[in-house]
C-alpha cells in the first residue's frame, strides 16, 4: 500500500527541497512505491477546488455532503418562538407527495476496499464518460468518509498513470485526512506539499490549521495562520482553531490575543470556541480572567447571540465553580408576563426606550420609506398623499396589511375575511388603519362591494396602486402613531430589516417588531391573535442574577426566531 509517510521521509533524506526536477523526483520515488511519483511541476489550480476557510466543520467540501435533517417540535405560541418556522413548513407540506430524490451524474459506486492500480483502471473504464473521474471519486469519498486506505490506493493509481499527483487531488486527500483526524497522514501531506509546491493557497493553509491544531504540533497551526495573513484576512474559523489549540496547550495569553484580534476584525467567534474558553482549566479566582469571561456574556448580549445547549451547560458549570459566591443555575422558561419561572424575577421589557424609538423611526423613514429604491415600489405623488393622510389623523392603535390578512381563511371570500378580522378588532375600540390595493375597490367574486363599504365604516382605509409595495407604508403608519401602535401581518419584513444601515439598527428593528407585530395563526377558526412578547430575549443581568436564553438541542430555529428556553443563574449569598 502506498505510504505517503515513506515517500516524505525518503525525500527529506535524499534531496534538498529548494530545487528538484521532475526527473530527479521520479528517480527517487519509482523504486519506492511501484513507480508512483508524488513529485512534479506546480499545476494550475482551479478556483472550483480551492477550499474556503469558512467551510463547514464536517469538511471543507461540505457543499457535496451537507445532510438536511428533520425533527419534530412541540407547538409554539409565538411567531418568533424557536421551531415555529419548521412547524409551519412541515404543516404546509403535510399530506403532499414527497418529491423523488434527485439523482446526480456525479454519484459513483465506491469500492469497499483498497484496489490495485489495475482494478482502478477497470473501474475507471466503467465510468469512461466522466472526464474528471479521480476528482469526482474523491468527492464521493469525502461525502461518505471513506476509509483512508482506499483513498491512498487511488492516489497510487493516479501517480502511476499520470506520473504525478496534482495539487487538486492532494488537496482533496487532505480534506479526507482532516475530516478523519488522521494526524500522521496530515503531517506527511504537509511535508510533501511544502516541498512539492512553492506556495499553498488559503484553503490548504486552513486545512493544515485545523489538522495541526488537534495535535502536539499545534504551533504549526499558528505558522499556517500567519501564512494566510500574508495573502488574505483569516476567517473566524481560522481564528477559532488557533484559539482552541492555544487553550488546549496552556497558552492562555496567546488565546486571548487572538480572541481580541478576532473581535477587532468584526468576526464572530463560533460557539465551540466560546465554550472552549469557558471550559479551559485556569485559576478561577483570577479577577482579570473572570472579568474577561463576563465580557463574553456582554458580547453575546450586545450582539443578540444565543448560546446552544452545550455552551449553556459550560457557562452554568463555570458560574457554579466560582468560589465564595455560591451561584446556582436552573433551566427554566419565562411566563407570558415576563417573569422567570425559577426565580420569579421580571425580565427586561421588549419595548424600546424613547430615545431608541426615535432613532429607529428616523432610520426606518430614511432607509426604507425614503430610501433610494422607494420609487420603484410607489410614486412620489402616492407617497405624498399617504403621508398627508396619516399625519392628518389621530394616532392608530393597529395598522392592518389588508391583502395579507384577506388570504388568511380560504373558505370564504377575501373581502369577508378582511371584514371579519377588522370588525373584530374595531369591537375592542381600537383605531384601525387598513392598507389595501385599488383592485379591492372593484366589485368581483372575491372583493364584494358591500363588504368593502362595511370595512370603511369600521376603519380608515388607504388603497395603494396595485403595483405598490405596501410594507413601507405599514411601517411608517405604525411608527408615526407612537410606541403603543401594533401592526397585523404575517409578513416577517426581513428584507426591510436588511435595508437598515447597521446591525445596531437591525437589532432595534427586530426588538420593536417582536413587541408590536400581531399575527393570526392560519389554523385559527376565528380571529385569535398570537401573543406579543412583553420581555426581551437577550442575555440579562442584575447584581445577583443572570438570565441567558439558549437554543435547546434538537430545536431548529430560524434566524428571525428566538429561543424560549433559559438558564437562570442566581447568587444565593
Amino acid at each position: 500500500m502506498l505510504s505517503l509517510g515513506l515517500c516524505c521521509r525518503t525525500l527529506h533524506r535524499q534531496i534538498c527541497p529548494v530545487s528538484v526536477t521532475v526527473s530527479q523526483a521520479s528517480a527517487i520515488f519509482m523504486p519506492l512505491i511501484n513507480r508512483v511519483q508524488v513529485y512534479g511541476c506546480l499545476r494550475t489550480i482551479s478556483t472550483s477546488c480551492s477550499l474556503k476557510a469558512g467551510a463547514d466543520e464536517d469538511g471543507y467540501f461540505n457543499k457535496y455532503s451537507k445532510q438536511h435533517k428533520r425533527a419534530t417540535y412541540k407547538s409554539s405560541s409565538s411567531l418568533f418562538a424557536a421551531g415555529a418556522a419548521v412547524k409551519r413548513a412541515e404543516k404546509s407540506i403535510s399530506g403532499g407527495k414527497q418529491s423523488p430524490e434527485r439523482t446526480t451524474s456525479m454519484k459513483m459506486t465506491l469500492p469497499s476496499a483498497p484496489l490495485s492500480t489495475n482494478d482502478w483502471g477497470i473501474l475507471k473504464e466503467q465510468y469512461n464518460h466522466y472526464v474528471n473521474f479521480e476528482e469526482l471519486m474523491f468527492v464521493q469519498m469525502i461525502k461518505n468518509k471513506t476509509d483512508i486506505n482506499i483513498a491512498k490506493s487511488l492516489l497510487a493509481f493516479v501517480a502511476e498513470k499520470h506520473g504525478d499527483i496534482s495539487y487538486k487531488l492532494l488537496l482533496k486527500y487532505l480534506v479526507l485526512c482532516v475530516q478523519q483526524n488522521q494526524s500522521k497522514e496530515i503531517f506527511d501531506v504537509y511535508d510533501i506539499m511544502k516541498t512539492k509546491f512553492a506556495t499553498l493557497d488559503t484553503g490548504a493553509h486552513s486545512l493544515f490549521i485545523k489538522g495541526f491544531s488537534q495535535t502536539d504540533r499545534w504551533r504549526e497551526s499558528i505558522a499556517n495562520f500567519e501564512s494566510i495573513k500574508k495573502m488574505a484576512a483569516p476567517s473566524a474559523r481560522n481564528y477559532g482553531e488557533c484559539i482552541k489549540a492555544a487553550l488546549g496547550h496552556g497558552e492562555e495569553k496567546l488565546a486571548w490575543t487572538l480572541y481580541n484580534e478576532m473581535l477587532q476584525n468584526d468576526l464572530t467567534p463560533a460557539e465551540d470556541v466560546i465554550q472552549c474558553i469557558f471550559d479551559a482549566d485556569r485559576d478561577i479566582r483570577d479577577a482579570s480572567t473572570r472579568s474577561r469571561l463576563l465580557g463574553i456574556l456582554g458580547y453575546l448580549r450586545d450582539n443578540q447571540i444565543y448560546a446552544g445547549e452545550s455552551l449553556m451547560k459550560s457557562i452554568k458549570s463555570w458560574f457554579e465553580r466560582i468560589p465564595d459566591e455560591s451561584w446556582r443555575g436552573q433551566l427554566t422558561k419565562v411566563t407570558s408576563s415576563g417573569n422567570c419561572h425559577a426565580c420569579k424575577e421580571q425580565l427586561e421589557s421588549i419595548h424600546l426606550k424613547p430615545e431608541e424609538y426615535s432613532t429607529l423611526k428616523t432610520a426606518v423613514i430614511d432607509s426604507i420609506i425614503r430610501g433610494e429604491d422607494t420609487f420603484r415600489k410607489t410614486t412620489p405623488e402616492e407617497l405624498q398623499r399617504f403621508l398627508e393622510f396619516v399625519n392628518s389623523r389621530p394616532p392608530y392603535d393597529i395598522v392592518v396589511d389588508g391583502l395579507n390578512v384577506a388570504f388568511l381563511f380560504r373558505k370564504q371570500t377575501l373581502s369577508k375575511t378582511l371584514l371579519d378580522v377588522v370588525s373584530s378588532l374595531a369591537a375592542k375600540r381600537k383605531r384601525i388603519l387598513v392598507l389595501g390595493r385599488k383592485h379591492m375597490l372593484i366589485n368581483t367574486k372575491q372583493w364584494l362591494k358591500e363588504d368593502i363599504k362595511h370595512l370603511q365604516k369600521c376603519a380608515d382605509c388607504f388603497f395603494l396602486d396595485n403595483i405598490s409595495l405596501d410594507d413601507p407604508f405599514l411601517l411608517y403608519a405604525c411608527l408615526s402613531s407612537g410606541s403603543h401602535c401594533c401592526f397585523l401581518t404575517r409578513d416577517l419584513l426581513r428584507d426591510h430589516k436588511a435595508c437598515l444601515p447597521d446591525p445596531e439598527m437591525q437589532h432595534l428593528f427586530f426588538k420593536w417588531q417582536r413587541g408590536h407585530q400581531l399575527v393570526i395563526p392560519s389554523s385559527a377558526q376565528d380571529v385569535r391573535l398570537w401573543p406579543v412578547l412583553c420581555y426581551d430575549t437577550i442575555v440579562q443581568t442584575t447584581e445577583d442574577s443572570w438570565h441567558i436564553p439558549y437554543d435547546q438541542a434538537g430545536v431548529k430555529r430560524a434566524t428571525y426566531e428566538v429561543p424560549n428556553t433559559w438558564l437562570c443563574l442566581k447568587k444565593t449569598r
Side-chain angles (χ1 to χ4, degrees), residues 335-371:
T335 67
S336 59
S337 59
N339 294 99
C340 171
H341 268 298
C343 70
K344 313 306 180 187
E345 190 172 304
Q346 178 76 37
L347 298 191
E348 292 179 30
S349 171
I350 189 69
H351 299 295
L352 304 184
K353 297 174 183 176
E355 59 272 19
E356 291 176 327
Y357 189 87
S358 177
T359 300
L360 177 64
K361 179 180 175 181
T362 301
V364 168
I365 291 174
D366 291 344
S367 301
I368 298 175
I369 310 302
R370 300 187 187 278

Side-chain angles (χ1 to χ4, degrees), residues 204-220:
H205 284 300
S206 293
L207 283 165
F208 285 127
I209 288 172
K210 182 173 176 61
F212 279 112
S213 67
Q214 303 172 53
T215 73
D216 290 338
R217 291 173 61 176
W218 68 275
R219 288 196 181 276
E220 293 185 59

Side-chain angles (χ1 to χ4, degrees), residues 259-493:
Y259 176 81
N260 291 330
E261 184 180 303
M262 184 182 186
L263 298 189
Q264 289 170 7
N265 291 330
D266 293 325
L267 296 173
T268 302
E271 181 174 314
D272 63 335
V273 177
I274 296 176
Q275 183 175 349
C276 187
I277 294 174
F278 274 94
D279 288 343
D281 185 19
R282 57 168 66 87
D283 181 8
I284 204 165
R285 296 177 183 273
D286 180 57
S288 62
T289 298
R290 283 163 62 177
S291 177
R292 287 171 177 168
L293 290 173
L294 294 179
I296 291 178
L297 296 182
Y299 174 81
L300 298 182
R301 172 189 169 90
D302 294 342
N303 292 276
Q304 294 186 13
I305 296 173
Y306 301 113
E309 189 167 337
S310 181
L311 172 57
M312 175 276 296
K313 290 178 179 178
S314 292
I315 294 171
K316 178 178 180 290
S317 174
W318 180 79
F319 268 96
E320 292 176 339
R321 295 197 316 270
I322 299 176
D324 305 323
E325 290 194 10
S326 299
W327 287 92
R328 179 171 177 261
Q330 291 180 271
L331 308 188
T332 185
K333 293 198 173 184
V334 178
T335 67
S336 59
S337 59
N339 294 99
C340 171
H341 268 298
C343 70
K344 313 306 180 187
E345 190 172 304
Q346 178 76 37
L347 298 191
E348 292 179 30
S349 171
I350 189 69
H351 299 295
L352 304 184
K353 297 174 183 176
E355 59 272 19
E356 291 176 327
Y357 189 87
S358 177
T359 300
L360 177 64
K361 179 180 175 181
T362 301
V364 168
I365 291 174
D366 291 344
S367 301
I368 298 175
I369 310 302
R370 300 187 187 278
E372 61 181 19
D373 63 338
T374 298
F375 299 133
R376 299 176 195 164
K377 305 161 188 170
T378 182
T379 62
E381 294 76 19
E382 181 178 58
L383 178 60
Q384 187 59 36
R385 281 194 298 109
F386 177 74
L387 296 180
E388 292 174 356
F389 179 90
V390 171
N391 295 335
S392 65
R393 285 162 170 76
Y396 293 105
D397 297 312
I398 302 175
V399 181
V400 178
D401 182 342
L403 202 57
N404 184 285
V405 170
F407 280 92
L408 189 61
F409 307 127
R410 298 301 181 96
K411 294 183 179 179
Q412 57 188 17
T413 63
L414 299 178
S415 58
K416 182 66 167 60
T417 297
L418 180 58
L419 177 60
D420 285 349
V421 171
V422 173
S423 58
S424 175
L425 297 174
K428 299 175 183 178
R429 298 184 179 277
K430 301 294 184 182
R431 273 194 51 78
I432 303 167
L433 169 63
V434 178
L435 292 172
R437 301 287 178 84
K438 287 182 177 178
H439 70 77
M440 296 161 64
L441 296 170
I442 301 173
N443 191 37
T444 63
K445 289 182 179 180
Q446 287 296 329
W447 296 103
L448 301 179
K449 189 173 183 179
E450 195 65 26
D451 288 340
I452 299 301
K453 282 184 178 179
H454 284 300
L455 179 70
Q456 290 173 309
K457 292 178 182 178
C458 294
D460 287 348
C461 298
F462 189 93
F463 297 95
L464 301 162
D465 291 338
N466 294 331
I467 62 171
S468 296
L469 185 65
D470 50 13
D471 293 342
F473 294 88
L474 178 144
L475 293 174
Y476 178 83
C478 189
L479 285 165
S480 295
S481 293
S483 59
H484 72 284
C485 183
C486 294
F487 61 97
L488 176 59
T489 180
R490 295 171 67 211
D491 193 316
L492 293 165
L493 308 176

Side-chain angles (χ1 to χ4, degrees), residues 124-258:
K124 184 174 181 177
E125 281 298 315
Q126 296 176 12
Y127 298 102
N128 59 8
H129 53 291
Y130 291 111
V131 177
N132 300 317
F133 167 79
E134 293 86 356
E135 289 184 30
L136 296 179
M137 185 60 72
F138 260 108
V139 168
Q140 291 296 316
M141 289 182 182
I142 293 166
K143 179 179 179 180
N144 292 281
K145 299 182 180 179
T146 301
D147 184 274
I148 205 76
N149 289 314
I150 298 175
K152 285 182 185 180
S153 70
L154 177 54
L155 286 184
F157 164 72
V158 172
E160 181 165 331
K161 180 176 177 62
H162 300 291
D164 184 29
I165 298 176
S166 71
Y167 189 102
K168 284 184 181 181
L169 287 188
L170 281 174
L171 210 55
K172 287 183 171 66
Y173 177 69
L174 177 59
V175 172
L176 200 63
C177 294
V178 172
Q179 183 187 73
Q180 299 181 25
N181 295 321
Q182 295 280 348
S183 300
K184 181 178 178 299
E185 295 301 320
I186 293 169
F187 298 160
D188 290 344
V189 174
Y190 182 67
D191 291 338
I192 289 171
M193 292 187 75
K194 288 288 286 184
T195 302
K196 180 176 168 66
F197 303 108
T199 59
L200 304 180
D201 71 342
T202 56
H205 284 300
S206 293
L207 283 165
F208 285 127
I209 288 172
K210 182 173 176 61
F212 279 112
S213 67
Q214 303 172 53
T215 73
D216 290 338
R217 291 173 61 176
W218 68 275
R219 288 196 181 276
E220 293 185 59
S221 289
I222 308 300
N224 278 275
F225 179 81
E226 294 299 327
S227 295
I228 287 181
K229 277 187 171 182
K230 296 174 183 177
M231 297 182 283
S235 68
R237 184 176 296 276
N238 296 150
Y239 275 102
E241 299 293 354
C242 292
I243 290 170
K244 289 189 293 183
L247 286 173
H249 293 84
E251 294 284 350
E252 189 171 334
K253 184 177 179 180
L254 173 59
W256 281 112
T257 297
L258 291 169

